[in-house]
């Protein structure tokens, strides 16, 4: 350790010691801190005591509120149903215990999907009284006025009762629910106006690929008058406090959701929890939401909710707002994530409309993906052709550029050579950046389809060619044991996509190699290996992804390669070279161009090269 290092450590230690001494509290401050600590200790003891007393009260209420004990009353169910969903309402707690979405196939091939049943789902309302608390999960309700679509659940409590009413409209996925007190005003403080809502659900695995479905299962919520947010789908246990008021909270699977919507809002500081489940359990995640919303103890105004129980279909979710009785735009379509702004715009105003039009023609889903690919290729063809022609111009100019810059291959002449090449490109009317356009064009579209296809419930259980289900992987072989990075299968469409990616990379690398000059060609060697390794990385990423997405990428690359091959075959290099020479002559004779070149980017690059050369000579 040298002398300067030792001195540095000594100075740092002196600064830290001095800072600690100057900030040392005085005797008065120490006394005040001790007093505050004593107050905090007293408050903590009081809160703990109050909490224990509250627990005792709750236990007492569970035993005394209502005339019947939970253990002695058998559980019975009242079924509400229409042609879309079927719901079982339990007399214990007065809430849903089973929800079935009709006309959608489950993993066993049945034509109904059970979202939850039994202990998989629970909803509990908590009312804090002056001396007693009411906890609905501990109450037994009587079902009165029950029909196929309506039921009133009533629980006797002291001098009055608590009533939970349900209405399931015909041809709707929205269940209407109200919670109302009757004769209980004296149990609550005069200013009491909120009740707690504790909601839990274990999200069942509904699709073949646990890993893929789990990526799209999340606890999602919409902030009041704002956008949606969600708890991470891939993290371990998440337990967060949401400071903003909420319009609704959703327990979302990949293709189905249960959404709890209050008439007003859920107050700020809701608690949200998401816990991933093991693959062998048959469940994706354990969700829990603890919220508060308005409550009128007098019963003059019931607390209203609506619960959406149904598929994650974008157009269907858009129309839900037309059927709500809550008087607000629910914007449930925001449950479906279509990507960041540019990508969302492509999906929202192009992909969805084209998809809807083609679906109305009763075209198979695989053909629809091919037609969407062809349409996108047709729209982007003019830009792709322009980009290809830019690359072709650089290719035919390569021999001339190599001749013009052959004296600038020294290690200290890289900047000067780059400046010379830029100047020549400008004189021939060629843009070196034009060849990058295809990647820039394709990337937003690829990302848009990456977000659209896995969220399109219309692909669920749809077959095409050898693919049994476009919404999940298509195994060419399965072995039942999970292998790191690969899983327990090989997906054929993923293999085709990766193979097509390798072939397309070879074509693009060969094209770029033909146009690179000098050091650029050397730099492309590393880039070439990266482009070849990328399909290998894609295999490990996409082996669990849906066959529909892999099939789209495969078809997209196939058509991209076909377009590049056709453009190469139809381009006359000699004619193109003659056009460039004519452009060169015109620009050399144009004084305005010469003046622009003297002050443009090439001139600035030349100045930088000259400055670098001067510095090297000086050193």
């Amino acid at each position: 350790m040298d002398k300067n290092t030792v001195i540095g450590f000594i100075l740092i230690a002196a600064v830290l010691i001095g800072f600690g001494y100057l900030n040392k509290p005085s005797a008065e401050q120490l006394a005040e801190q001790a007093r505050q600590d004593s107050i905090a200790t007293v408050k903590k003891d009081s809160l703990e005591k109050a909490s224990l007393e509250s627990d005792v009260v709750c236990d007492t209420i569970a035993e005394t509120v209502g005339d019947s004990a939970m253990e002695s009353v058998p559980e019975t169910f009242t079924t509400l149903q229409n042609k879309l969903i079927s719901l079982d309402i339990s007399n214990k707690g007065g809430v849903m215990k089973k929800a079935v979405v009709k006309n959608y196939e489950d993993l066993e091939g049945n034509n109904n999907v059970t979202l939850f049943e039994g202990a998989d789902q629970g909803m509990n309302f908590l009312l804090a009284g002056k001396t007693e608390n009411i906890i609905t999960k501990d109450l037994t309700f009587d079902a009165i006025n029950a029909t196929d679509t309506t039921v009133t659940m009533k629980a006797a409590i002291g001098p009055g009762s608590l009533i939970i009413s349900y209405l399931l409209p015909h041809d709707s996925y929205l269940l209407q629910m109200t919670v109302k007190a009757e004769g209980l005003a004296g149990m609550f403080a005069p200013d009491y106006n909120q009740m707690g809502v504790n909601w839990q659900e274990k999200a069942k695995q509904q699709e073949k690929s646990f890993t893929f479905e789990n990526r799209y299962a999340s606890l999602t919520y919409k902030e009041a008058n704002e956008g949606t947010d969600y708890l991470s789908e891939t993290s371990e246990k998440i337990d967060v406090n949401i400071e903003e008021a909420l319009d609704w909270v959703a327990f979302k699977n990949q293709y189905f959701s249960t959404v709890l919507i209050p008439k007003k809002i859920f107050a700020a500081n809701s608690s949200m929890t998401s816990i991933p489940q093991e693959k062998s359990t048959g469940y994706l995640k354990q969700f829990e939401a603890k919220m508060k919303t308005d409550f009128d103890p007098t019963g003059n105004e019931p607390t209203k909710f609506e619960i959406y129980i149904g598929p994650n279909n974008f157009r269907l979710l858009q129309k839900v707002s037309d059927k709500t009785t809550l008087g607000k735009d629910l914007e449930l379509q925001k449950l479906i994530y279509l990507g960041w702004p540019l990508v969302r715009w492509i999906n929202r105003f192009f992909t969805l409309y084209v998809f809807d039009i083609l679906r109305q023609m009763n075209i198979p889903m695989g053909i629809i993906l091919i037609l969407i690919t062809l349409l996108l290729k047709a729209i982007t063809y003019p830009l792709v052709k322009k980009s290809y022609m830019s690359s072709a111009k650089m290719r035919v100019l390569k021999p001339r550029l190599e001749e013009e810059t052959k004296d600038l291959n020294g290690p200290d002449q890289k900047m000067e050579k780059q400046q010379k090449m830029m100047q020549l490109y400008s004189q021939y009317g060629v843009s070196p950046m034009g060849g990058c356009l295809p990647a820039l064009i394709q990337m937003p579209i690829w990302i848009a389809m990456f977000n659209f296809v896995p969220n399109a419930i219309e692909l669920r259980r749809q077959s095409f060619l050898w693919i049994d289900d476009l919404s999940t992987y298509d195994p060419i072989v399965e072995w039942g044991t999970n292998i790191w990075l690969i899983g327990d299968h090989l997906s054929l469409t993923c293999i085709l996509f990766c193979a097509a990616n390798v072939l397309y990379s070879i074509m693009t690398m060969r094209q770029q190699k033909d146009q690179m000059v000098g050091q650029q060609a050397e730099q492309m060697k590393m880039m070439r290996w990266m482009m070849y390794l990328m399909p290998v990385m894609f295999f490990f990423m996409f082996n669990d992804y849906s066959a529909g997405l892999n099939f789209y990428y495969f078809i997209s690359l196939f058509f991209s390669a076909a377009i590049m091959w056709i453009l190469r075959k139809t381009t006359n290099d000699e004619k193109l070279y003659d056009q460039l020479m004519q452009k060169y002559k015109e620009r050399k004779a144009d004084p305005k161009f010469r003046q622009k070149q003297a002050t443009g980017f090439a001139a600035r690059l030349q100045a930088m090269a000259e400055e670098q050369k001067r510095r090297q000579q000086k050193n």
Side-chain angles (χ1 to χ4, degrees):
M1 185 179 295
D2 59 25
K3 181 177 68 174
N4 292 334
T5 303
V6 173
I7 293 173
F9 278 121
I10 292 173
L11 290 175
I12 292 172
V15 170
L16 293 175
I17 293 170
F19 182 80
Y21 178 78
L22 292 174
N23 287 274
K24 183 177 69 174
S26 63
E28 292 80 2
Q29 290 174 322
L30 289 171
E32 176 63 19
Q33 182 64 45
R35 189 178 70 85
Q36 294 293 335
D37 290 344
S38 298
I39 294 173
T41 302
V42 171
K43 287 183 176 180
K44 179 181 178 182
D45 292 343
S46 299
L47 288 172
E48 291 178 350
K49 181 179 179 181
S51 177
L52 290 172
E53 290 176 351
S54 176
D55 291 342
V56 172
V57 169
C58 292
D59 292 340
T60 304
I61 293 168
E63 298 172 0
T64 59
V65 167
D67 295 329
S68 56
M70 292 284 287
E71 292 79 5
S72 61
V73 178
E75 186 172 21
T76 59
F77 300 95
T78 302
T79 300
L80 307 181
Q81 61 179 326
N82 56 25
K83 65 180 184 179
L84 301 176
I85 56 176
S86 174
L87 310 171
D88 286 353
I89 312 297
S90 172
N91 65 324
K92 294 193 173 184
V95 293
M96 285 188 298
K97 286 294 184 179
K98 184 177 181 180
V100 176
V101 180
K102 300 179 180 180
N103 307 316
Y104 285 91
E105 186 179 311
D106 66 7
L107 282 172
E108 285 74 37
N110 302 312
N111 199 33
N112 296 306
V113 172
T114 301
L115 295 190
F116 56 81
E117 59 183 330
D120 293 349
Q121 210 264 7
M123 187 177 295
N124 184 28
F125 301 109
L126 302 96
L127 302 169
K130 289 185 290 188
T131 58
E132 297 179 332
N133 296 328
I134 299 173
I135 304 174
T136 57
K137 72 180 180 64
D138 296 330
L139 301 178
T140 299
F141 288 77
D142 294 322
I144 57 178
N145 303 323
T147 68
D148 285 344
T149 57
T150 62
V151 66
T152 299
M153 308 298 293
K154 187 172 184 178
I157 302 174
S161 58
L162 187 69
I163 300 172
I164 305 177
S165 300
Y166 296 94
L167 169 63
L168 179 62
H170 296 285
D171 195 25
S172 176
Y173 291 101
L174 275 178
L175 174 68
Q176 299 172 20
M177 177 176 68
T178 62
V179 180
K180 181 180 179 180
E182 191 175 81
L184 300 178
M187 294 183 62
F188 302 99
D191 59 348
Y192 183 75
N193 60 5
Q194 282 190 332
M195 72 173 179
V197 182
N198 287 7
W199 185 31
Q200 301 176 358
E201 183 179 321
K202 288 183 73 174
K204 293 180 66 174
Q205 179 182 348
Q206 305 290 354
E207 313 304 323
K208 182 168 67 173
S209 175
F210 173 88
T211 304
F212 186 59
E213 183 184 6
N214 210 18
R215 289 190 182 101
Y216 295 89
S218 64
L219 193 161
T220 304
Y221 53 89
K222 181 180 179 298
E223 297 175 1
N225 302 315
E226 298 290 342
T228 59
D229 204 347
Y230 58 92
L231 304 189
S232 172
E233 309 99 324
T234 57
S235 300
E236 293 300 317
K237 178 180 178 180
I238 302 173
D239 196 345
V240 299
N241 188 67
I242 311 301
E243 297 180 355
E244 295 80 8
L246 305 177
D247 282 332
W248 46 258
V249 176
F251 295 160
K252 176 180 176 291
N253 282 36
Q254 183 178 4
Y255 292 121
F256 302 94
S257 290
T258 308
V259 189
L260 183 61
I261 313 158
K263 178 175 176 57
K264 296 184 179 179
I265 57 171
F266 289 124
N269 298 314
S270 297
S271 174
M272 306 289 175
T273 303
S274 175
I275 307 174
Q277 305 296 294
E278 295 295 329
K279 182 176 181 179
S280 58
T281 64
Y283 294 94
L284 303 170
K285 292 184 175 73
Q286 169 73 55
F287 296 131
E288 182 175 6
K290 297 180 180 180
M291 305 150 291
K292 290 185 178 181
T293 191
D294 291 357
F295 176 74
D296 180 7
T298 66
N300 294 329
E301 184 178 351
T303 301
K304 294 184 178 180
F305 299 91
E306 285 185 342
I307 307 175
Y308 176 83
I309 306 151
N312 298 332
N313 181 300
F314 189 90
R315 296 303 186 194
L316 175 64
L317 292 170
Q318 273 187 313
K319 296 176 182 178
V320 167
S321 293
D322 298 332
K323 298 184 177 182
T324 181
T325 62
L326 301 181
K328 60 182 180 180
D329 185 4
L330 303 181
E331 297 184 290
L332 289 186
Q333 69 272 13
K334 291 185 176 180
L335 266 174
I336 301 177
Y337 181 70
L338 295 178
W340 44 270
L342 174 60
V343 171
R344 183 170 62 248
W345 186 88
I346 294 172
N347 280 328
R348 179 69 180 79
F349 298 105
F350 172 78
T351 311
L352 275 168
Y353 282 100
V354 174
F355 193 73
D356 290 342
I357 292 170
L358 295 176
R359 279 186 59 236
Q360 292 171 5
M361 299 179 184
N362 295 318
I363 300 174
M365 287 298 167
I367 301 296
I368 287 177
L369 291 176
I370 295 174
L371 293 176
I372 289 176
T373 307
L374 285 172
L375 182 57
L376 288 169
K377 295 300 179 186
I379 292 172
T380 58
Y381 176 76
L383 293 174
V384 171
K385 182 179 180 181
K386 184 177 180 180
S387 173
Y388 174 82
M389 293 308 297
S390 178
S391 298
K393 290 175 183 178
M394 294 173 68
R395 183 181 70 246
V396 298
L397 280 175
K398 179 180 177 179
R400 188 171 181 86
L401 263 65
E402 288 180 336
E403 178 66 24
E404 293 279 353
T405 60
K406 64 181 180 180
D407 297 330
L408 300 172
N409 289 327
D412 58 343
Q413 293 178 305
K414 292 181 180 180
M415 181 71 75
E416 189 176 353
K417 182 173 183 177
Q418 184 69 17
Q419 181 271 329
K420 181 68 174 179
M421 289 173 56
M422 293 297 294
Q423 188 179 47
L424 290 170
Y425 280 137
S426 178
Q427 290 172 354
Y428 286 101
V430 177
S431 172
M433 298 301 294
C436 301
L437 196 59
L440 296 176
I441 294 170
Q442 287 192 97
M443 191 57 66
I445 295 173
W446 275 45
I447 297 174
M449 296 303 289
F450 180 84
N451 286 285
F452 176 78
V453 173
N455 286 303
I457 193 173
E458 294 85 355
L459 296 176
R460 187 176 184 269
R461 304 296 190 268
Q462 295 296 308
S463 61
F464 182 68
L465 298 178
W466 70 89
I467 306 169
D468 293 330
D469 185 351
L470 285 165
S471 70
T472 188
Y473 60 82
D474 58 320
I476 190 173
V477 60
E478 294 182 274
W479 49 81
T481 302
N482 187 67
I483 298 177
W484 184 64
L485 290 180
I486 297 178
D488 57 4
H489 66 276
L490 291 178
S491 173
L492 180 55
T493 51
C494 180
I495 294 172
L496 291 174
F497 158 47
C498 294
N501 204 348
V502 171
L503 295 175
Y504 184 71
S505 297
I506 292 172
M507 291 183 66
T508 55
M509 288 296 102
R510 184 176 298 169
Q511 177 179 316
Q512 292 182 11
K513 181 182 178 181
D514 291 343
Q515 69 191 39
M516 295 300 176
V517 180
Q519 294 292 330
Q520 292 178 332
E522 292 297 321
Q523 294 170 0
M524 281 303 299
K525 291 181 179 179
M526 181 61 70
M527 180 64 71
R528 191 181 306 128
W529 283 110
M530 290 177 62
M531 293 298 292
Y532 294 156
L533 286 173
M534 190 173 295
V536 178
M537 296 171 58
F538 280 158
F539 170 77
F540 295 117
M541 292 172 57
F542 286 86
N543 191 44
D544 264 323
Y545 272 68
S546 69
L549 184 63
N550 282 319
F551 181 73
Y552 165 77
Y553 285 155
F554 166 67
I555 294 297
S556 179
L557 285 168
F558 173 81
F559 285 125
S560 294
I563 290 170
M564 186 179 295
W565 183 83
I566 292 170
L567 287 172
R568 182 65 184 262
K569 290 296 182 181
T570 56
T571 301
N572 188 321
D573 287 2
E574 293 181 1
K575 184 178 179 179
L576 182 60
Y577 181 78
D578 292 339
Q579 292 174 352
L580 291 172
M581 292 304 297
Q582 181 64 32
K583 173 71 73 173
Y584 175 78
K585 293 176 182 178
E586 292 174 357
R587 291 196 166 191
K588 290 291 285 185
D590 186 357
K592 291 184 178 179
F593 174 76
R594 292 199 302 271
Q595 181 181 3
K596 179 180 179 182
Q597 195 172 38
T599 58
F601 175 73
R604 293 193 296 272
L605 197 62
Q606 183 178 6
M608 292 171 61
E610 292 174 353
E611 176 64 23
Q612 185 183 32
K613 188 174 181 179
R614 282 196 299 270
R615 290 181 179 179
Q616 289 173 349
Q617 291 174 349
K618 186 181 294 185
N619 295 334

